[in-house]
Amino acid sequence: MNRTQYRALLEAISIDKNNLLKYRELYQYAYILSDGIFKVVFAEEKSHSLLISLVNAMLDLQGGEAIKDITLEMQEFPGIFNKKNCILDIIGTTNAGEKVLVEVQQKSDRFFKDRVEYYISRVIENQVHTSEKYELPRIYFLGLLDFEMFPEEPSTYIHRVDEMCHGKKFFPKIQKIFVEIDKFFELENRGSTKSDNSAAAQWLRAIKAIVKEERAPENILKNETFQRLLNSVKLINFEEELFNLEVKNMTDLMAEHEEGLAEGRELGFAEGKCEGFAEGKTEGFAEGKCEGFAEGKTEGF
């Protein structure tokens, strides 16, 4: 099930909860990249083995650098005074004391990059306590994107973003990795990733089978990790309560979006009205001054 189909499911359930049964007949899988489904699959598993496998694959952590265990934490960092809250999809601490932030983004947002930096800064803020030295742990940010964020790199689907100075990483402890999932799907359909046997590519092929409702490659179906993944995302596993919560979240987001649009329109109208009034006043004053001066000059003469 893809994002459009999932949204249709939520809207249908909001009208009649019995529509869930109809969708279970149409689709095998839920939309894995929705916030609610993603958290159930990757955060509620007791051993977090699926999450560890996913993060190791996307961050290309192998051998001694690979994550072996992870402890999940509260997703929310409350805002201080009048600052905005920071709510991540998943945040955890690895066995090596490293921080892992995972955020799923379903559609393009002009302020998404700003939000990423804000999230990371809020996590950094909580690392050093009084009387401790300024030593930060390694912090990984993994963004799973269901849209194209780097159109200038059409053949690359994983992007590692670093702050560089003289050709070297300025602060390698902070790593930002963005995965363009839909771009991988397109590359896979064109055969461009045929020789890509990386762990990340295998994971994305499993996700593609879920999102596109298609049969996964044989090596995916025979893999124990991906077998558990496919079984955990089956639509029949999720109850009505989760979808009701998703409907509420979708409604809240739409309301927030509409409120923002309304404020933008009102602000634009106010600014336009003020500018128009100022221009009219200036033009009127200039015309009146010219006409009055001409009339006075004529009468005086």
Side-chain angles (χ1 to χ4, degrees):
M1 180 181 290
N2 61 31
R3 183 174 69 241
T4 303
Q5 293 161 344
Y6 187 67
R7 183 167 184 139
L9 163 65
L10 296 181
E11 290 177 350
I13 292 176
S14 67
I15 296 171
D16 184 352
K17 63 180 182 181
N18 292 321
N19 284 326
L20 177 58
L21 299 175
K22 298 176 183 178
Y23 272 81
R24 283 176 175 165
E25 295 176 359
L26 292 173
Y27 299 100
Q28 184 176 6
Y29 301 111
Y31 178 49
I32 190 173
L33 299 176
S34 76
D35 289 345
I37 302 298
F38 186 85
K39 290 172 185 175
V40 169
V41 173
F42 292 100
E44 293 190 4
E45 184 193 25
K46 188 175 181 180
S47 65
H48 306 310
S49 59
L50 286 176
L51 175 63
I52 292 171
S53 176
L54 172 70
V55 172
N56 280 334
M58 296 307 172
L59 272 55
D60 194 24
L61 299 177
Q62 304 176 28
E65 292 188 348
I67 298 170
K68 298 176 178 60
D69 188 27
I70 189 169
T71 302
L72 299 191
E73 305 168 16
M74 292 292 294
Q75 301 163 279
E76 183 173 358
F77 287 82
I80 302 172
F81 299 113
N82 61 340
K83 300 297 188 295
K84 286 183 73 70
N85 290 350
C86 168
I87 304 176
L88 290 147
D89 287 332
I90 289 178
I91 178 169
T93 303
T94 71
N95 51 288
E98 303 160 331
K99 294 292 180 182
V100 177
L101 290 60
V102 182
E103 184 72 10
V104 180
Q105 183 72 11
Q106 297 178 26
K107 59 182 180 179
S108 180
D109 178 352
R110 61 179 294 200
F111 295 118
F112 177 62
K113 295 178 184 177
D114 299 67
R115 186 151 52 88
V116 169
E117 298 298 331
Y118 182 69
Y119 284 178
I120 294 174
S121 69
R122 291 300 307 277
V123 172
I124 291 173
E125 182 187 23
N126 282 271
Q127 299 312 304
V128 181
H129 300 88
T130 305
S131 76
E132 292 182 347
K133 57 184 176 180
Y134 291 101
E135 183 178 9
L136 296 175
R138 187 179 295 275
I139 298 174
Y140 297 105
F141 179 91
L142 173 59
L144 301 173
L145 316 178
D146 198 12
F147 66 95
E148 187 177 41
M149 185 174 172
F150 302 90
E152 64 278 4
E153 299 180 60
S155 60
T156 304
Y157 63 90
I158 293 184
H159 307 268
R160 290 172 172 81
V161 179
D162 294 294
E163 184 180 1
M164 306 296 290
C165 182
H166 303 299
K168 296 181 180 180
K169 295 180 181 179
F170 177 72
F171 193 69
K173 281 187 174 182
I174 298 179
Q175 296 189 24
K176 288 172 279 191
I177 294 88
F178 299 93
V179 183
E180 295 176 299
I181 295 175
D182 195 56
K183 182 184 285 186
F184 175 85
F185 293 172
E186 294 176 5
L187 293 171
E188 185 82 349
N189 290 338
R190 294 203 300 262
S192 304
T193 53
K194 188 175 182 180
S195 60
D196 188 347
N197 294 314
S198 64
Q202 302 296 0
W203 256 95
L204 290 172
R205 288 181 182 118
I207 293 174
K208 183 173 183 284
I210 293 168
V211 174
K212 300 294 185 181
E213 292 278 341
E214 60 188 27
R215 181 177 172 81
E218 286 301 318
N219 65 319
I220 299 294
L221 293 174
K222 293 178 181 178
N223 183 285
E224 182 181 345
T225 297
F226 296 134
Q227 286 176 3
R228 285 190 287 110
L229 174 70
L230 295 172
N231 287 330
S232 66
V233 192
K234 287 183 177 178
L235 188 57
I236 197 171
N237 294 338
F238 302 97
E239 299 299 328
E240 180 191 339
E241 288 76 14
L242 173 64
F243 298 118
N244 289 336
L245 182 60
E246 291 275 79
V247 168
K248 181 182 182 303
N249 290 339
M250 182 177 69
T251 304
D252 290 346
L253 286 173
M254 289 175 64
E256 185 177 334
H257 178 67
E258 289 299 323
E259 184 178 342
L261 285 176
E263 289 179 0
R265 293 192 194 101
E266 186 177 340
L267 179 61
F269 176 76
E271 289 178 354
K273 188 175 181 181
C274 289
E275 289 174 8
F277 178 76
E279 289 175 5
K281 187 176 181 181
T282 302
E283 291 176 6
F285 177 77
E287 290 176 3
K289 186 175 181 181
C290 289
E291 289 176 5
F293 180 76
E295 291 175 4
K297 189 174 181 181
T298 301
E299 290 176 5
F301 182 79

